[in-house]
Amino acid sequence: MASVNKVIIVGNLGRDPEIRYMPSGDAIANIAVATSYKSKDRNTGEQKELTEWHRISFFGRLAEIVGQYLKKGSSVYVEGRLQTRKYTDKDGVEKYATEIVAEQMQMLGGRQGMGGDAGGGGMDDGGGYDSQPQQSRPAPQRQAPPAPAARPAPKPAPNFSDMDDDIPF
């Protein structure tokens, strides 16, 4: 029987990323992302908001990008998988921790503190980050959509020559 271990989280960082480096030099970044859920109290009928915190780990180049561009309050979209670790605390008690191991990340929202006022863009604009290089993935097979009867006039391309940014993508 087939199984799926996939998690998608869209939320805000609760603190700045914690960056560490392994002896090999590979980066590891850990973040805590808050998601919220609104529900109605059955007894009082009052609307309440519940916040859930998610621990997310990034590795390699993805961890370096997280450390460089994300900060407390940043909005982020993360795809990954659940992983449970077993560890022993300082008192010798065995404990378990479940976290998300990120495989893809997309920064959302504006570009706070980067000198621009650009929007976050869509998910399909190619601005996301994968833990695996694109060349190693098989190309998805897509069928061309049927041509529409009449096409609206194309919009003029935006002028990016006045943008002042140092983002490497």
Side-chain angles (χ1 to χ4, degrees), residues 47-59:
Q47 197 71 351
K48 58 182 183 177
E49 185 172 356
L50 304 169
T51 300
E52 187 74 32
W53 288 94
H54 311 275
R55 286 188 302 259
I56 304 176
S57 296
F58 297 85
F59 297 93

Side-chain angles (χ1 to χ4, degrees), residues 23-100:
S24 66
D26 289 340
I28 301 172
N30 292 308
I31 63 173
V33 174
T35 57
S36 59
Y37 172 74
K38 292 183 180 177
S39 67
K40 197 177 218 182
D41 188 295
R42 292 184 186 192
N43 299 327
T44 64
E46 167 183 337
Q47 197 71 351
K48 58 182 183 177
E49 185 172 356
L50 304 169
T51 300
E52 187 74 32
W53 288 94
H54 311 275
R55 286 188 302 259
I56 304 176
S57 296
F58 297 85
F59 297 93
R61 179 69 181 131
L62 199 53
E64 293 172 10
I65 292 167
V66 165
Q68 187 174 4
Y69 294 107
L70 295 181
K71 62 181 186 204
K72 180 179 179 178
S74 297
S75 294
V76 68
Y77 167 94
V78 177
E79 285 185 28
R81 59 187 167 82
L82 282 179
Q83 179 175 299
T84 301
R85 293 183 294 116
K86 179 179 170 182
Y87 67 97
T88 305
D89 70 4
K90 62 183 177 185
D91 298 325
V93 178
E94 286 188 351
K95 294 191 174 187
Y96 293 88
T98 301
E99 63 190 3
I100 298 166

